[in-house]
Amino acid sequence: MAKVGITETILRDAHQSLIATRMTTEEMLPALEMLDNIGYHSLECWGGATFDACLRFLNEDPWDRLRTLRAKMPKTKLQMLYRGQNMLGYRHYADDLVEYFVQKSVANGIDIIRIFDALNDIRNLETSIKAAKKEKGAHAQVAISYTTGPTYDIDYYVQYAKKIEEVGADSICLKDMAGLLVPYDTYDLVKALKETVKIPIQIHSHFTAGIADMVMMKAIEAGADVIDTALSPLAMGT
């Protein structure tokens, strides 16, 4: 079996999900060297609500945070979550702003940009993907926002994965932000995705229903290339 990469989310999604993204840079500093030495595929540490929380609640400069993380963790790829045309905000922004934000994110230390649209509308992702592809060394990962319902069968996700590959993404993340994935459905879906596209598949799930560990195991059995995890202080919850 091929080696499975691990992305650690404790510096972004873990504290966003549990404590409203209130972890300060100062609180992160003591652990950064240890995290950098573990050998992760990547460390998710920026984007999502971190930008918002730094400005509104923590009196921090989010760009200073990113530069600090980059300086303290030189060995490991740093990853961010990017809301496509919404950037890190809550409405659509002009293309030139989207492009400039991607450029500056990479310039300040981001290696992997995970780009998603809540409605899985590829039109809201195209500008971000093209912008990321222009930046030397940047990796454009596009996320499939996972949900359930009559429309959202394996064929729906397979067809969307094809579109993602066609627009130039470097990898795909199956992003289960609500913790809805169950183990055997995960196996079937990941297997279908691996048979459809050539780019790597990463799995992201939340432990809300208490089964994300089994979801990850079945995803790995089906051929997933990378999985998202959280270290124990912030694991086993939302």
Side-chain angles (χ1 to χ4, degrees):
M1 183 181 286
K3 183 178 179 181
V4 178
I6 295 175
T7 291
E8 175 55 50
T9 67
I10 201 165
L11 298 178
R12 203 284 299 176
D13 202 1
H15 72 111
Q16 180 172 316
S17 295
L18 288 169
I19 54 172
T21 331
R22 296 298 196 269
M23 194 188 297
T24 65
T25 304
E26 184 179 5
E27 289 167 336
M28 297 175 184
L29 287 173
L32 297 183
E33 184 180 357
M34 175 198 73
L35 289 171
D36 194 34
N37 287 328
I38 287 174
Y40 287 118
H41 168 76
S42 64
L43 284 159
E44 191 196 47
C45 61
W46 209 62
T50 60
F51 205 89
D52 187 2
C54 281
L55 293 171
R56 290 176 188 263
F57 304 109
L58 302 179
N59 196 29
E60 288 190 19
D61 182 337
W63 296 103
D64 280 345
R65 172 181 290 192
L66 176 55
R67 288 188 286 267
T68 298
L69 295 172
R70 178 76 284 168
K72 298 290 185 182
M73 299 186 292
K75 303 175 190 173
T76 309
K77 289 184 176 181
L78 302 186
Q79 182 168 318
M80 73 176 290
L81 184 68
Y82 197 65
R83 297 171 178 145
Q85 209 67 30
N86 290 15
M87 302 200 311
L88 301 184
Y90 304 99
R91 64 177 180 86
H92 278 45
Y93 296 94
D95 286 355
D96 57 347
L97 281 175
V98 172
E99 291 162 355
Y100 195 58
F101 202 102
V102 168
Q103 178 191 334
K104 287 303 175 185
S105 298
V106 175
N108 281 275
I110 290 297
D111 301 291
I112 300 171
I113 303 179
R114 178 179 288 174
I115 307 163
F116 83 101
D117 178 67
L119 301 176
N120 289 333
D121 189 335
I122 202 77
R123 295 171 297 178
N124 291 330
L125 304 175
E126 287 171 342
T127 301
S128 304
I129 296 166
K130 288 174 185 173
K133 297 290 284 184
K134 285 181 184 176
E135 300 303 312
K136 186 178 179 181
H139 179 107
Q141 180 179 89
V142 176
I144 296 172
S145 296
Y146 179 79
T147 190
T148 59
T151 303
Y152 304 103
D153 55 13
I154 285 180
D155 185 62
Y156 168 88
Y157 291 114
V158 163
Q159 294 306 316
Y160 188 51
K162 286 180 182 176
K163 290 181 185 178
I164 290 170
E165 188 173 47
E166 286 167 5
V167 296
D170 297 305
S171 64
I172 291 174
C173 174
L174 180 59
K175 181 175 170 58
D176 176 29
M177 59 283 165
L180 298 174
L181 276 173
V182 294
Y184 284 92
D185 287 353
T186 302
Y187 180 90
D188 293 339
L189 179 51
V190 172
K191 191 169 185 294
L193 292 173
K194 291 294 293 181
E195 290 170 353
T196 302
V197 297
K198 295 183 174 64
I199 55 178
I201 303 293
Q202 184 159 350
I203 310 300
H204 172 94
S205 187
H206 289 244
F207 210 79
T208 318
I211 55 174
D213 49 359
M214 294 295 101
V215 164
M216 294 301 170
M217 289 298 296
K218 296 307 290 184
I220 291 167
E221 288 177 15
D225 301 281
V226 188
I227 62 169
D228 284 11
T229 62
L231 285 165
S232 57
L234 296 183
M236 303 299 188
T238 53

PDB file of all heavy atoms in Angstrom, residues 158-186:
ATOM      1  N   VAL A 158     -18.765  12.259  -8.836  1.00  0.00           N
ATOM      2  CA  VAL A 158     -17.825  11.860  -9.888  1.00  0.00           C
ATOM      3  C   VAL A 158     -17.815  12.911 -11.006  1.00  0.00           C
ATOM      4  O   VAL A 158     -16.739  13.301 -11.498  1.00  0.00           O
ATOM      5  CB  VAL A 158     -18.195  10.463 -10.437  1.00  0.00           C
ATOM      6  CG1 VAL A 158     -17.520  10.200 -11.780  1.00  0.00           C
ATOM      7  CG2 VAL A 158     -17.800   9.384  -9.430  1.00  0.00           C
ATOM      8  N   GLN A 159     -18.985  13.373 -11.409  1.00  0.00           N
ATOM      9  CA  GLN A 159     -19.063  14.374 -12.475  1.00  0.00           C
ATOM     10  C   GLN A 159     -18.408  15.693 -12.034  1.00  0.00           C
ATOM     11  O   GLN A 159     -17.730  16.358 -12.834  1.00  0.00           O
ATOM     12  CB  GLN A 159     -20.520  14.608 -12.889  1.00  0.00           C
ATOM     13  CG  GLN A 159     -21.199  13.417 -13.534  1.00  0.00           C
ATOM     14  CD  GLN A 159     -20.421  12.873 -14.725  1.00  0.00           C
ATOM     15  OE1 GLN A 159     -19.924  13.628 -15.568  1.00  0.00           O
ATOM     16  NE2 GLN A 159     -20.299  11.558 -14.790  1.00  0.00           N
ATOM     17  N   TYR A 160     -18.603  16.055 -10.771  1.00  0.00           N
ATOM     18  CA  TYR A 160     -17.974  17.281 -10.264  1.00  0.00           C
ATOM     19  C   TYR A 160     -16.460  17.120 -10.202  1.00  0.00           C
ATOM     20  O   TYR A 160     -15.710  18.050 -10.538  1.00  0.00           O
ATOM     21  CB  TYR A 160     -18.548  17.641  -8.900  1.00  0.00           C
ATOM     22  CG  TYR A 160     -18.098  18.995  -8.383  1.00  0.00           C
ATOM     23  CD1 TYR A 160     -18.203  20.134  -9.174  1.00  0.00           C
ATOM     24  CD2 TYR A 160     -17.580  19.129  -7.096  1.00  0.00           C
ATOM     25  CE1 TYR A 160     -17.790  21.378  -8.696  1.00  0.00           C
ATOM     26  CE2 TYR A 160     -17.174  20.361  -6.615  1.00  0.00           C
ATOM     27  CZ  TYR A 160     -17.284  21.478  -7.420  1.00  0.00           C
ATOM     28  OH  TYR A 160     -16.873  22.712  -6.946  1.00  0.00           O
ATOM     29  N   ALA A 161     -15.995  15.943  -9.802  1.00  0.00           N
ATOM     30  CA  ALA A 161     -14.554  15.676  -9.761  1.00  0.00           C
ATOM     31  C   ALA A 161     -13.931  15.815 -11.149  1.00  0.00           C
ATOM     32  O   ALA A 161     -12.817  16.334 -11.300  1.00  0.00           O
ATOM     33  CB  ALA A 161     -14.293  14.292  -9.191  1.00  0.00           C
ATOM     34  N   LYS A 162     -14.639  15.359 -12.166  1.00  0.00           N
ATOM     35  CA  LYS A 162     -14.147  15.506 -13.546  1.00  0.00           C
ATOM     36  C   LYS A 162     -13.969  16.987 -13.898  1.00  0.00           C
ATOM     37  O   LYS A 162     -12.965  17.384 -14.495  1.00  0.00           O
ATOM     38  CB  LYS A 162     -15.119  14.859 -14.532  1.00  0.00           C
ATOM     39  CG  LYS A 162     -15.114  13.338 -14.544  1.00  0.00           C
ATOM     40  CD  LYS A 162     -16.136  12.838 -15.566  1.00  0.00           C
ATOM     41  CE  LYS A 162     -16.221  11.322 -15.585  1.00  0.00           C
ATOM     42  NZ  LYS A 162     -17.275  10.848 -16.515  1.00  0.00           N
ATOM     43  N   LYS A 163     -14.947  17.811 -13.534  1.00  0.00           N
ATOM     44  CA  LYS A 163     -14.859  19.247 -13.805  1.00  0.00           C
ATOM     45  C   LYS A 163     -13.657  19.857 -13.084  1.00  0.00           C
ATOM     46  O   LYS A 163     -12.937  20.697 -13.641  1.00  0.00           O
ATOM     47  CB  LYS A 163     -16.133  19.955 -13.339  1.00  0.00           C
ATOM     48  CG  LYS A 163     -17.368  19.654 -14.149  1.00  0.00           C
ATOM     49  CD  LYS A 163     -18.564  20.428 -13.594  1.00  0.00           C
ATOM     50  CE  LYS A 163     -19.857  20.061 -14.292  1.00  0.00           C
ATOM     51  NZ  LYS A 163     -21.016  20.786 -13.695  1.00  0.00           N
ATOM     52  N   ILE A 164     -13.456  19.438 -11.835  1.00  0.00           N
ATOM     53  CA  ILE A 164     -12.345  19.965 -11.043  1.00  0.00           C
ATOM     54  C   ILE A 164     -11.013  19.632 -11.710  1.00  0.00           C
ATOM     55  O   ILE A 164     -10.125  20.486 -11.823  1.00  0.00           O
ATOM     56  CB  ILE A 164     -12.393  19.393  -9.607  1.00  0.00           C
ATOM     57  CG1 ILE A 164     -13.587  19.981  -8.850  1.00  0.00           C
ATOM     58  CG2 ILE A 164     -11.093  19.676  -8.867  1.00  0.00           C
ATOM     59  CD1 ILE A 164     -13.865  19.304  -7.526  1.00  0.00           C
ATOM     60  N   GLU A 165     -10.866  18.402 -12.155  1.00  0.00           N
ATOM     61  CA  GLU A 165      -9.630  17.997 -12.837  1.00  0.00           C
ATOM     62  C   GLU A 165      -9.446  18.777 -14.135  1.00  0.00           C
ATOM     63  O   GLU A 165      -8.337  19.222 -14.452  1.00  0.00           O
ATOM     64  CB  GLU A 165      -9.646  16.499 -13.106  1.00  0.00           C
ATOM     65  CG  GLU A 165      -8.320  15.960 -13.630  1.00  0.00           C
ATOM     66  CD  GLU A 165      -8.307  14.447 -13.726  1.00  0.00           C
ATOM     67  OE1 GLU A 165      -9.283  13.882 -14.258  1.00  0.00           O
ATOM     68  OE2 GLU A 165      -7.326  13.831 -13.278  1.00  0.00           O
ATOM     69  N   GLU A 166     -10.526  18.968 -14.856  1.00  0.00           N
ATOM     70  CA  GLU A 166     -10.459  19.664 -16.152  1.00  0.00           C
ATOM     71  C   GLU A 166     -10.027  21.123 -16.020  1.00  0.00           C
ATOM     72  O   GLU A 166      -9.366  21.660 -16.917  1.00  0.00           O
ATOM     73  CB  GLU A 166     -11.817  19.579 -16.859  1.00  0.00           C
ATOM     74  CG  GLU A 166     -12.125  18.212 -17.436  1.00  0.00           C
ATOM     75  CD  GLU A 166     -13.587  18.069 -17.853  1.00  0.00           C
ATOM     76  OE1 GLU A 166     -14.331  19.079 -17.779  1.00  0.00           O
ATOM     77  OE2 GLU A 166     -13.972  16.952 -18.248  1.00  0.00           O
ATOM     78  N   VAL A 167     -10.400  21.786 -14.916  1.00  0.00           N
ATOM     79  CA  VAL A 167     -10.019  23.195 -14.763  1.00  0.00           C
ATOM     80  C   VAL A 167      -8.600  23.359 -14.221  1.00  0.00           C
ATOM     81  O   VAL A 167      -8.137  24.488 -14.050  1.00  0.00           O
ATOM     82  CB  VAL A 167     -11.019  23.978 -13.871  1.00  0.00           C
ATOM     83  CG1 VAL A 167     -12.387  24.032 -14.510  1.00  0.00           C
ATOM     84  CG2 VAL A 167     -11.086  23.411 -12.465  1.00  0.00           C
ATOM     85  N   GLY A 168      -7.918  22.259 -13.943  1.00  0.00           N
ATOM     86  CA  GLY A 168      -6.496  22.338 -13.616  1.00  0.00           C
ATOM     87  C   GLY A 168      -6.105  22.154 -12.173  1.00  0.00           C
ATOM     88  O   GLY A 168      -4.959  22.440 -11.799  1.00  0.00           O
ATOM     89  N   ALA A 169      -7.001  21.680 -11.334  1.00  0.00           N
ATOM     90  CA  ALA A 169      -6.654  21.451  -9.927  1.00  0.00           C
ATOM     91  C   ALA A 169      -5.529  20.421  -9.801  1.00  0.00           C
ATOM     92  O   ALA A 169      -5.427  19.489 -10.604  1.00  0.00           O
ATOM     93  CB  ALA A 169      -7.878  20.974  -9.156  1.00  0.00           C
ATOM     94  N   ASP A 170      -4.697  20.594  -8.784  1.00  0.00           N
ATOM     95  CA  ASP A 170      -3.593  19.657  -8.534  1.00  0.00           C
ATOM     96  C   ASP A 170      -4.037  18.467  -7.694  1.00  0.00           C
ATOM     97  O   ASP A 170      -3.405  17.408  -7.724  1.00  0.00           O
ATOM     98  CB  ASP A 170      -2.441  20.381  -7.828  1.00  0.00           C
ATOM     99  CG  ASP A 170      -1.849  21.480  -8.690  1.00  0.00           C
ATOM    100  OD1 ASP A 170      -1.443  21.193  -9.838  1.00  0.00           O
ATOM    101  OD2 ASP A 170      -1.802  22.637  -8.225  1.00  0.00           O
ATOM    102  N   SER A 171      -5.087  18.643  -6.916  1.00  0.00           N
ATOM    103  CA  SER A 171      -5.637  17.544  -6.110  1.00  0.00           C
ATOM    104  C   SER A 171      -7.072  17.896  -5.743  1.00  0.00           C
ATOM    105  O   SER A 171      -7.521  19.033  -5.944  1.00  0.00           O
ATOM    106  CB  SER A 171      -4.807  17.291  -4.843  1.00  0.00           C
ATOM    107  OG  SER A 171      -4.844  18.426  -3.983  1.00  0.00           O
ATOM    108  N   ILE A 172      -7.780  16.894  -5.210  1.00  0.00           N
ATOM    109  CA  ILE A 172      -9.178  17.070  -4.794  1.00  0.00           C
ATOM    110  C   ILE A 172      -9.297  16.711  -3.324  1.00  0.00           C
ATOM    111  O   ILE A 172      -8.721  15.720  -2.861  1.00  0.00           O
ATOM    112  CB  ILE A 172     -10.116  16.173  -5.625  1.00  0.00           C
ATOM    113  CG1 ILE A 172     -10.187  16.659  -7.079  1.00  0.00           C
ATOM    114  CG2 ILE A 172     -11.525  16.128  -5.021  1.00  0.00           C
ATOM    115  CD1 ILE A 172     -10.971  15.734  -7.991  1.00  0.00           C
ATOM    116  N   CYS A 173     -10.043  17.520  -2.589  1.00  0.00           N
ATOM    117  CA  CYS A 173     -10.383  17.180  -1.204  1.00  0.00           C
ATOM    118  C   CYS A 173     -11.872  16.873  -1.127  1.00  0.00           C
ATOM    119  O   CYS A 173     -12.698  17.687  -1.540  1.00  0.00           O
ATOM    120  CB  CYS A 173     -10.040  18.332  -0.268  1.00  0.00           C
ATOM    121  SG  CYS A 173     -10.596  18.045   1.436  1.00  0.00           S
ATOM    122  N   LEU A 174     -12.199  15.706  -0.608  1.00  0.00           N
ATOM    123  CA  LEU A 174     -13.593  15.397  -0.281  1.00  0.00           C
ATOM    124  C   LEU A 174     -13.850  16.003   1.092  1.00  0.00           C
ATOM    125  O   LEU A 174     -13.406  15.478   2.109  1.00  0.00           O
ATOM    126  CB  LEU A 174     -13.815  13.884  -0.278  1.00  0.00           C
ATOM    127  CG  LEU A 174     -15.231  13.411   0.047  1.00  0.00           C
ATOM    128  CD1 LEU A 174     -16.246  13.969  -0.955  1.00  0.00           C
ATOM    129  CD2 LEU A 174     -15.288  11.888   0.067  1.00  0.00           C
ATOM    130  N   LYS A 175     -14.530  17.136   1.106  1.00  0.00           N
ATOM    131  CA  LYS A 175     -14.640  17.964   2.318  1.00  0.00           C
ATOM    132  C   LYS A 175     -15.995  17.739   2.988  1.00  0.00           C
ATOM    133  O   LYS A 175     -17.010  18.285   2.574  1.00  0.00           O
ATOM    134  CB  LYS A 175     -14.447  19.435   1.942  1.00  0.00           C
ATOM    135  CG  LYS A 175     -14.513  20.405   3.107  1.00  0.00           C
ATOM    136  CD  LYS A 175     -14.194  21.808   2.622  1.00  0.00           C
ATOM    137  CE  LYS A 175     -14.474  22.844   3.701  1.00  0.00           C
ATOM    138  NZ  LYS A 175     -13.718  22.608   4.936  1.00  0.00           N
ATOM    139  N   ASP A 176     -15.970  16.941   4.038  1.00  0.00           N
ATOM    140  CA  ASP A 176     -17.181  16.605   4.791  1.00  0.00           C
ATOM    141  C   ASP A 176     -17.268  17.519   6.000  1.00  0.00           C
ATOM    142  O   ASP A 176     -17.045  17.102   7.137  1.00  0.00           O
ATOM    143  CB  ASP A 176     -17.118  15.126   5.191  1.00  0.00           C
ATOM    144  CG  ASP A 176     -18.281  14.708   6.067  1.00  0.00           C
ATOM    145  OD1 ASP A 176     -19.368  15.300   5.941  1.00  0.00           O
ATOM    146  OD2 ASP A 176     -18.094  13.776   6.884  1.00  0.00           O
ATOM    147  N   MET A 177     -17.623  18.771   5.761  1.00  0.00           N
ATOM    148  CA  MET A 177     -17.577  19.782   6.818  1.00  0.00           C
ATOM    149  C   MET A 177     -18.639  19.592   7.883  1.00  0.00           C
ATOM    150  O   MET A 177     -18.526  20.134   8.983  1.00  0.00           O
ATOM    151  CB  MET A 177     -17.678  21.186   6.212  1.00  0.00           C
ATOM    152  CG  MET A 177     -18.926  21.465   5.416  1.00  0.00           C
ATOM    153  SD  MET A 177     -18.848  20.712   3.778  1.00  0.00           S
ATOM    154  CE  MET A 177     -20.557  20.817   3.281  1.00  0.00           C
ATOM    155  N   ALA A 178     -19.679  18.792   7.601  1.00  0.00           N
ATOM    156  CA  ALA A 178     -20.754  18.585   8.572  1.00  0.00           C
ATOM    157  C   ALA A 178     -20.674  17.232   9.273  1.00  0.00           C
ATOM    158  O   ALA A 178     -21.531  16.907  10.094  1.00  0.00           O
ATOM    159  CB  ALA A 178     -22.109  18.723   7.877  1.00  0.00           C
ATOM    160  N   GLY A 179     -19.669  16.439   8.965  1.00  0.00           N
ATOM    161  CA  GLY A 179     -19.544  15.126   9.595  1.00  0.00           C
ATOM    162  C   GLY A 179     -20.626  14.157   9.166  1.00  0.00           C
ATOM    163  O   GLY A 179     -21.142  13.382   9.976  1.00  0.00           O
ATOM    164  N   LEU A 180     -20.977  14.170   7.876  1.00  0.00           N
ATOM    165  CA  LEU A 180     -22.059  13.324   7.369  1.00  0.00           C
ATOM    166  C   LEU A 180     -21.572  12.020   6.738  1.00  0.00           C
ATOM    167  O   LEU A 180     -22.376  11.114   6.510  1.00  0.00           O
ATOM    168  CB  LEU A 180     -22.885  14.099   6.330  1.00  0.00           C
ATOM    169  CG  LEU A 180     -23.605  15.362   6.827  1.00  0.00           C
ATOM    170  CD1 LEU A 180     -24.247  16.086   5.657  1.00  0.00           C
ATOM    171  CD2 LEU A 180     -24.640  15.010   7.884  1.00  0.00           C
ATOM    172  N   LEU A 181     -20.310  11.927   6.420  1.00  0.00           N
ATOM    173  CA  LEU A 181     -19.793  10.705   5.805  1.00  0.00           C
ATOM    174  C   LEU A 181     -19.919   9.525   6.766  1.00  0.00           C
ATOM    175  O   LEU A 181     -19.689   9.660   7.972  1.00  0.00           O
ATOM    176  CB  LEU A 181     -18.323  10.871   5.419  1.00  0.00           C
ATOM    177  CG  LEU A 181     -18.003  11.538   4.085  1.00  0.00           C
ATOM    178  CD1 LEU A 181     -16.498  11.753   3.973  1.00  0.00           C
ATOM    179  CD2 LEU A 181     -18.507  10.709   2.903  1.00  0.00           C
ATOM    180  N   VAL A 182     -20.288   8.367   6.213  1.00  0.00           N
ATOM    181  CA  VAL A 182     -20.281   7.120   6.976  1.00  0.00           C
ATOM    182  C   VAL A 182     -19.317   6.157   6.284  1.00  0.00           C
ATOM    183  O   VAL A 182     -19.035   6.292   5.090  1.00  0.00           O
ATOM    184  CB  VAL A 182     -21.696   6.516   7.099  1.00  0.00           C
ATOM    185  CG1 VAL A 182     -22.588   7.423   7.930  1.00  0.00           C
ATOM    186  CG2 VAL A 182     -22.315   6.286   5.729  1.00  0.00           C
ATOM    187  N   PRO A 183     -18.770   5.183   7.025  1.00  0.00           N
ATOM    188  CA  PRO A 183     -17.624   4.427   6.524  1.00  0.00           C
ATOM    189  C   PRO A 183     -17.794   3.755   5.162  1.00  0.00           C
ATOM    190  O   PRO A 183     -16.968   3.956   4.269  1.00  0.00           O
ATOM    191  CB  PRO A 183     -17.375   3.411   7.642  1.00  0.00           C
ATOM    192  CG  PRO A 183     -17.842   4.112   8.883  1.00  0.00           C
ATOM    193  CD  PRO A 183     -19.029   4.900   8.458  1.00  0.00           C
ATOM    194  N   TYR A 184     -18.828   2.948   4.980  1.00  0.00           N
ATOM    195  CA  TYR A 184     -18.905   2.178   3.733  1.00  0.00           C
ATOM    196  C   TYR A 184     -19.299   3.052   2.544  1.00  0.00           C
ATOM    197  O   TYR A 184     -18.868   2.801   1.410  1.00  0.00           O
ATOM    198  CB  TYR A 184     -19.834   0.979   3.907  1.00  0.00           C
ATOM    199  CG  TYR A 184     -19.155  -0.117   4.697  1.00  0.00           C
ATOM    200  CD1 TYR A 184     -19.281  -0.180   6.084  1.00  0.00           C
ATOM    201  CD2 TYR A 184     -18.338  -1.050   4.059  1.00  0.00           C
ATOM    202  CE1 TYR A 184     -18.621  -1.151   6.818  1.00  0.00           C
ATOM    203  CE2 TYR A 184     -17.678  -2.030   4.782  1.00  0.00           C
ATOM    204  CZ  TYR A 184     -17.817  -2.084   6.159  1.00  0.00           C
ATOM    205  OH  TYR A 184     -17.149  -3.035   6.881  1.00  0.00           O
ATOM    206  N   ASP A 185     -20.092   4.087   2.767  1.00  0.00           N
ATOM    207  CA  ASP A 185     -20.368   5.050   1.701  1.00  0.00           C
ATOM    208  C   ASP A 185     -19.080   5.771   1.299  1.00  0.00           C
ATOM    209  O   ASP A 185     -18.861   6.070   0.121  1.00  0.00           O
ATOM    210  CB  ASP A 185     -21.408   6.073   2.145  1.00  0.00           C
ATOM    211  CG  ASP A 185     -22.814   5.488   2.206  1.00  0.00           C
ATOM    212  OD1 ASP A 185     -22.992   4.328   1.773  1.00  0.00           O
ATOM    213  OD2 ASP A 185     -23.732   6.179   2.698  1.00  0.00           O
ATOM    214  N   THR A 186     -18.251   6.045   2.285  1.00  0.00           N
ATOM    215  CA  THR A 186     -16.960   6.684   2.005  1.00  0.00           C
ATOM    216  C   THR A 186     -16.111   5.789   1.109  1.00  0.00           C
ATOM    217  O   THR A 186     -15.511   6.257   0.131  1.00  0.00           O
ATOM    218  CB  THR A 186     -16.204   6.967   3.314  1.00  0.00           C
ATOM    219  OG1 THR A 186     -17.008   7.799   4.151  1.00  0.00           O
ATOM    220  CG2 THR A 186     -14.876   7.645   3.038  1.00  0.00           C
TER     221      THR A 186
END
